[in-house]
Amino acid sequence: MDGVLVITLTIIFIAHFIIGILGNGFIVMVNCLDWVKRRKITSMDQILTALAISRLILLLTLVIDWRVSIIYPLLLRTITMLRIFHISWAVTNHFSIWLATGLCIFYFLKIAIFSNPLFYYLKWRVTKLIAMTLLMSLVLLGINIVMLITCIDVWIYKSNWDMSYNSSSRLFAEYSRLILFPSLMFTLIPFVISLAIFLLLIFSLWKYLRNMQHNAPGWRNASTLAHIRALQVIIAFLLLYITFFLSVVVEVWTVVMENMRVILVAQVMVTIFPAVHSCVLILANDKMRQAWLLLPWWLRCSW
């Protein structure tokens, strides 16, 4: 493989990793310090903290996979590494995506305006709704893990380690096809939920502006600003999610063709979601943004 390409991709990957570690680590630090100071933590901060921790673990998983892909690429074909990587990836990716989806649900129920009894019922029970959503997602995680283990076992059963290299490559390509559809399916479900929330928020904003045309502009501006800020966060989430989803598709599909260049590019693109999304969450949260602005002053005082 071209050494210049590997070095370039490695630098970009390390940059994404550092941004993700700093961003998510900052979210965890601010919320934990605030928790210790106030002796309590809000529902949103709980979701943000859990999301940041899951992203930190996900980034570490991606770093290990990246290192193995470059230094020991054939190691990814061993039975043990296949099981370890795909199961750890499924678990960390699951919590990262579903916690982000739970955050979208929280924004929607706290900001959207609908005169519907069911909406008000869910609005006042948003914490329980998100908890139930995450618990139900564990069922999907269990199914995903079972399907992954089954795919690996099927491939192991068909494999013959004494075969020629070409035959082994064909079996490995068949294994990649087996894991393609489950991986995409379980990644697509929370994306559809987030997209539906985005469309409902747009409808809520349009309905609110239409009904409040003759009301006091201060109230209209406050609610409109809340809608727009939530929409910005969810738009950024969806764009990053689309990049992440397409990267997973490319990475898994190119394993079939054994094109390591494209695989490494896809792995770099995968890291954009957990890294950059943390920066979006910091900018969208008043407490996080203020803490970030005060960080240079705090560092100067510490030194």
Side-chain angles (χ1 to χ4, degrees):
M1 190 184 298
D2 188 0
V4 176
L5 176 62
V6 174
I7 294 174
T8 303
L9 292 176
T10 302
I11 294 173
I12 297 174
F13 182 87
I14 293 174
H16 290 169
F17 176 75
I18 293 174
I19 292 172
I21 292 296
L22 292 178
N24 290 291
F26 179 78
I27 292 174
V28 174
M29 181 189 69
V30 171
N31 282 333
C32 288
L33 291 176
D34 189 63
W35 186 9
V36 172
K37 181 179 178 181
R38 300 177 183 273
R39 303 290 182 178
K40 62 180 181 179
I41 184 170
T42 64
S43 299
M44 172 176 279
D45 288 341
Q46 289 178 14
I47 299 172
L48 281 174
T49 304
L51 176 59
I53 293 173
S54 68
R55 294 275 173 79
L56 290 172
I57 299 174
L58 176 61
L59 286 169
L60 292 175
T61 303
L62 291 174
V63 165
I64 295 173
D65 176 51
W66 173 268
R67 185 174 179 84
V68 172
S69 299
I70 293 180
I71 301 178
Y72 308 107
L74 295 180
L75 190 60
L76 289 176
R77 295 192 177 196
T78 62
I79 298 172
T80 302
M81 286 302 299
L82 284 174
R83 285 175 174 163
I84 291 175
F85 170 70
H86 285 295
I87 293 175
S88 61
W89 160 259
V91 173
T92 55
N93 182 54
H94 172 90
F95 284 106
S96 173
I97 290 177
W98 276 100
L99 285 167
T101 304
L103 190 62
C104 290
I105 296 174
F106 187 90
Y107 275 120
F108 169 69
L109 292 177
K110 287 296 183 180
I111 295 173
I113 301 174
F114 290 102
S115 56
N116 184 286
L118 178 60
F119 177 79
Y120 285 118
Y121 177 83
L122 296 176
K123 187 181 184 72
W124 289 106
R125 293 163 177 81
V126 58
T127 304
K128 292 183 179 179
L129 175 63
I130 294 175
M132 289 299 299
T133 302
L134 295 176
L135 286 175
M136 292 178 64
S137 73
L138 293 179
V139 177
L140 296 177
L141 175 61
I143 297 173
N144 190 10
I145 292 175
V146 170
M147 292 181 68
L148 285 173
I149 293 175
T150 302
C151 291
I152 294 173
D153 290 342
V154 168
W155 182 69
I156 293 172
Y157 177 77
K158 291 182 177 181
S159 298
N160 187 342
W161 298 105
D162 293 329
M163 286 183 176
S164 64
Y165 175 80
N166 292 330
S167 298
S168 298
S169 299
R170 179 182 58 80
L171 286 171
F172 190 73
E174 182 181 349
Y175 163 77
S176 301
R177 296 187 188 97
L178 286 174
I179 67 171
L180 174 65
F181 294 106
S183 299
L184 298 183
M185 180 178 65
F186 289 104
T187 304
L188 184 62
I189 294 174
F191 174 74
V192 172
I193 296 174
S194 301
L195 181 60
I197 290 173
F198 170 71
L199 296 176
L200 287 172
L201 265 177
I202 292 179
F203 178 73
S204 172
L205 177 60
W206 171 79
K207 185 178 179 181
Y208 176 81
L209 292 176
R210 189 187 63 176
N211 294 336
M212 297 295 292
Q213 287 178 354
H214 304 291
N215 285 19
W219 285 99
R220 180 173 68 250
N221 291 339
S223 183
T224 302
L225 181 61
H227 272 83
I228 292 175
R229 181 174 294 183
L231 286 172
Q232 289 173 342
V233 173
I234 297 178
I235 287 173
F237 169 70
L238 289 174
L239 291 176
L240 292 170
Y241 203 156
I242 291 172
T243 303
F244 172 80
F245 183 78
L246 294 178
S247 300
V248 172
V249 173
V250 171
E251 181 178 358
V252 177
W253 187 255
T254 50
V255 170
V256 178
M257 299 178 290
E258 299 188 353
N259 190 331
M260 288 303 300
R261 292 182 178 87
V262 181
I263 291 174
L264 292 178
V265 171
Q267 288 178 342
V268 170
M269 297 299 292
V270 165
T271 58
I272 294 178
F273 184 34
V276 178
H277 192 229
S278 62
C279 301
V280 174
L281 294 176
I282 291 173
L283 295 175
N285 188 284
D286 291 334
K287 181 178 72 174
M288 293 293 167
R289 189 169 60 253
Q290 291 174 4
W292 182 261
L293 294 175
L294 291 173
L295 184 61
W297 174 83
W298 182 81
L299 290 175
R300 284 198 302 268
C301 292
S302 300
W303 286 99

